[in-house]
Amino acid sequence: MVTTGNKPNDETVALAHSYASELGAPYIIRKKRAIDTLRADYGVDEVLVCADRVALHVEGQEFFFHPSMANTRIKRLKSGENDVVIERAGVRPGDIVLDCTLGLGSDAIVFAHAVGEEGRVIGLESSPVIALLVRRGLKEVSVDTQAVNTAMRRVEVVCADHLEYLRAQPDKSVDVVYFDPMFRRTVQKTQYMEPLRHLGDDRPLMEEAILEARRVARRRIVLKERWYSKEFARLGFLIPKKSTGTINYGVIDLEGGEWS
């Protein structure tokens, strides 16, 4: 269900109606009722609240869009530092990047900065409510770094299952295909990640998805996983460098380069 804060105005009411319409969810007048009361009264699990910020309340937690570490990572790139995701993906200005597991959109934002004005970043998210929150957040939220704001506006959000989307794409139509299913399987529970695990698709990647990615990508496919994950071997990814932390990146190089 969709509602407003306890002190709604015309703008937040109109916003709530627009979210409800796009999600096909009922709009409920708040009447200063607590979220738990609304959830119990209407028998729903998720309550989307439109106030000063739009937030999803689920399982006692609150989720709202923010660029997360993308802000810091883009600042580091602008200062001349490397970014491990950009390095492993081999993203260049003008590239088309397909992020198959958008989630919060942090990596997609950094990709959008790296590809520049001539490039394109498409982010796929299977959850309609996450896709809507992230798409609107990318267009409406601003931070203190203009390069981050510019990058956020470039990301195209598509609500779709990544396998179905890949099946429909022409051969060699993007430069890089990226998979990051990790946020659905975090090691430690955090207040911010719990709503995403509740709404997200926790199925393992299918071999068919990687086969389709091989057909669609021109240069490279990248998988982000825990360093000890058996998914790299199962899906045919090489690990070009040892992990220096809890995660690592597997690569399928389609150009016959050093990692193929």
Side-chain angles (χ1 to χ4, degrees), residues 2 44 48 52 54 63 74 83 85 95 102 112 114 124 136 143 145 163 172 176 182 208 211 234 251 258:
V2 181
V44 298
L48 189 66
D52 292 336
V54 179
F63 164 70
I74 289 176
D83 182 273
V85 180
D95 275 353
L102 180 67
L124 308 181
R136 291 215 175 187
V143 295
T145 305
L163 178 54
K172 307 300 180 186
V176 176
M182 280 184 55
E208 184 183 352
L211 290 174
R234 181 178 74 86
V251 174
E258 60 179 315

Side-chain angles (χ1 to χ4, degrees), residues 181-214:
M182 280 184 55
F183 83 98
R184 311 206 195 276
R185 301 189 298 278
T186 52
V187 171
Q188 294 181 331
K189 290 187 177 182
T190 64
Q191 179 176 354
Y192 193 69
M193 300 302 287
E194 283 305 295
L196 295 182
R197 282 203 293 275
H198 176 81
L199 293 167
D201 181 357
D202 61 359
R203 295 173 299 173
L205 290 178
M206 296 178 63
E207 292 182 17
E208 184 183 352
I210 305 305
L211 290 174
E212 289 293 337
R214 283 179 173 271

Side-chain angles (χ1 to χ4, degrees), residues 151-168:
M152 286 195 292
R153 308 303 184 253
R154 290 195 189 118
V155 179
E156 305 169 34
V157 178
V158 178
C159 183
D161 174 84
H162 63 258
L163 178 54
E164 293 180 5
Y165 186 92
L166 284 165
R167 285 171 177 160

